[in-house]
Amino acid sequence: MTTRAEHVPVLPREVCRAVLPALAIGAGAVPPLLVDATCGLAGHLCLLLEGAPQARAIAFDRDEDARVLAKARLADAGLADRVTWVHAPFSELAQHLDRLGITEVAAILADLGISSLQIDRGERGFSWRADAPLDMRMDRTRGASAAEIVATIDEGTLTRILRDLGEEPDARRIAQAIVAARPSTTLALADVVANAMSAPQRRKLGLRIHPATRTFQALRLHVNDELGEIDRLLADAPDRLAVGGRLCIISFHSLEDRRVKQRFAGLSRPPAMPAGLPLRSDELPRPKFALPGEFAKGVAPSDDEVADNPRARSARLRVLERLER
Ligand SMILES: C[S@@+](CC[C@H](N)C(=O)[O-])C[C@H]1O[C@@H](n2cnc3c(N)ncnc32)[C@H](O)[C@@H]1O
């Protein structure tokens, strides 16, 4: 049985402005193909398929629960027969496109991170708001859960994870306390962190931010290798764009956004040439990619959107367009 769940898509108008032009020109493919690398509950996908009636989509998600709900939502909207499903991480984009016989696509969208569904379903173990086994895997069919990692990890490695992925100033104290207690549930972990945190750090966070916020973020990023996933997507996706095609990525914190920004900037810069070559400016090699004007600096949500959907607060959309092969 499926239940309908809500996930309000972030930056909906901006995503449509970024993706639909690439689907409209077809970017060489008939019918134009969209890869939704993070289908989630299909909020963006519904908008995009409705906005591009001629397009088809390949929908990736590594979370089986999301896929079941997204299918139901697309079926309700009469869009399900335009979608091919791939239950896999987007780091496997290239191998699945090869398997499907697809060399290039008009657009690729990745809306990073977790969905409201994953946070709201307490049993998934992503949040201290419900007591549950500490799981945190987006794909519960693969890899080690957070509880399994916490049960065996050494203090030095955990300190680095909390510092690098959570930007946690009290990383060492918290890692010491976690390794001493080895909590296996969300509430037990939240308690260990709250008790271990130094008084100045607790005061800095104030009453609105839970002391375990950064620890939960760091563990979640580690359990799902989220930064490694982004690096592999950034390595493979640009090459899969047809001419005129666009890669659109929404990130939610600086660790993600920095990677996207640097890779897009690198690809859209002209290739470096040895100094002193006798070439006119129109003879210099042109970059194969560009950052379309409206999106050149990345786009953040409006104040109105953040007021309606606080989850959008830290979202940033960046877009890369293929100019030539
Ligand atoms: C923020 S939600 C996407 C919401 C979606 N755009 C919508 O409007 O409903 C992110 C989704 O991406 C999935 N996801 C995150 N990282 C992934 C990865 N590396 N590979 C595949 N799916 C991933 C998560 O399971 C989650 O369902």
Side-chain angles (χ1 to χ4, degrees):
M1 197 184 80
T2 61
T3 52
R4 298 293 186 263
E6 268 307 307
H7 174 95
V8 182
V10 302
L11 293 163
R13 280 182 299 276
E14 295 80 355
V15 165
C16 287
R17 282 208 301 278
V19 174
L20 291 178
L23 294 178
I25 57 168
V30 182
L33 279 179
L34 161 69
V35 170
D36 187 343
T38 54
C39 176
L41 300 188
H44 288 117
L45 187 54
C46 285
L47 290 175
L48 294 169
L49 289 176
E50 279 160 359
Q54 76 290 11
R56 290 189 52 86
I58 320 285
F60 281 72
D61 204 295
R62 68 202 303 199
D63 185 334
E64 191 60 28
D65 291 356
R67 196 158 71 116
V68 171
L69 293 164
K71 270 189 175 170
R73 187 168 183 185
L74 284 153
D76 284 352
L79 300 168
D81 59 355
R82 292 165 59 198
V83 179
T84 302
W85 296 94
V86 180
H87 177 216
F90 55 60
S91 55
E92 296 175 5
L93 173 89
Q95 88 187 50
H96 286 282
L97 291 185
D98 287 347
R99 177 178 60 79
L100 295 165
I102 297 166
T103 47
E104 49 184 47
V105 299
I108 301 172
L109 171 67
D111 175 18
L112 301 173
I114 49 177
S115 69
S116 314
L117 168 78
Q118 289 158 330
I119 302 176
D120 294 346
R121 287 200 168 165
E123 78 273 13
R124 300 295 303 267
F126 282 103
S127 164
W128 57 85
R129 290 189 190 92
D131 199 13
L134 200 54
D135 191 325
M136 294 195 184
R137 284 171 302 165
M138 293 185 195
D139 182 347
R140 285 182 287 179
T141 66
R142 309 188 190 193
S145 69
E148 287 167 329
I149 291 169
V150 164
T152 55
I153 199 163
D154 66 84
E155 192 185 306
T157 308
L158 184 55
T159 302
R160 273 195 301 283
I161 290 171
L162 298 183
R163 204 170 39 220
D164 296 349
L165 302 181
E167 299 175 285
E168 173 56 69
D170 270 347
R172 183 162 295 285
R173 294 173 70 111
I174 293 172
Q176 254 166 10
I178 292 175
V179 166
R182 304 236 184 248
S184 62
T185 68
T186 50
L187 278 193
L189 174 64
D191 279 349
V192 169
V193 177
N195 290 329
M197 187 169 274
S198 61
Q201 283 305 328
R202 286 194 72 137
R203 271 198 300 280
K204 259 193 197 164
L205 292 179
L207 291 177
R208 291 188 47 201
I209 301 180
H210 191 287
T213 304
R214 294 189 289 234
T215 296
F216 271 69
Q217 172 187 299
L219 275 177
R220 190 201 94 205
L221 288 172
H222 177 71
V223 165
N224 296 290
D225 186 22
E226 291 181 46
L227 299 183
E229 282 287 313
I230 297 169
D231 288 343
R232 288 190 285 279
L233 182 74
L234 289 170
D236 292 347
D239 198 42
R240 292 303 182 133
L241 293 176
V243 173
R246 288 181 168 187
L247 169 60
C248 307
I249 302 187
I250 304 171
S251 57
F252 288 87
H253 54 75
S254 55
L255 293 171
E256 296 169 340
D257 186 52
R258 200 175 308 139
R259 286 173 148 71
V260 179
K261 182 177 166 183
Q262 285 175 356
R263 174 76 171 145
F264 283 13
L267 287 169
S268 56
R269 224 176 272 131
M273 296 291 288
L277 283 185
L279 292 174
R280 294 194 315 268
S281 62
D282 62 335
E283 291 173 328
L284 289 171
R286 291 183 345 121
K288 294 196 163 89
F289 296 90
L291 308 177
E294 179 190 356
F295 304 101
K297 291 193 157 61
V299 173
S302 66
D303 293 344
D304 284 352
E305 179 176 353
V306 174
D308 287 347
N309 180 15
R311 206 186 75 83
R313 193 179 52 247
S314 45
R316 185 160 291 259
L317 167 67
R318 295 190 185 274
V319 180
L320 180 77
E321 180 174 318
R322 174 152 224 139
L323 299 176
E324 56 186 63
R325 270 263 150 217

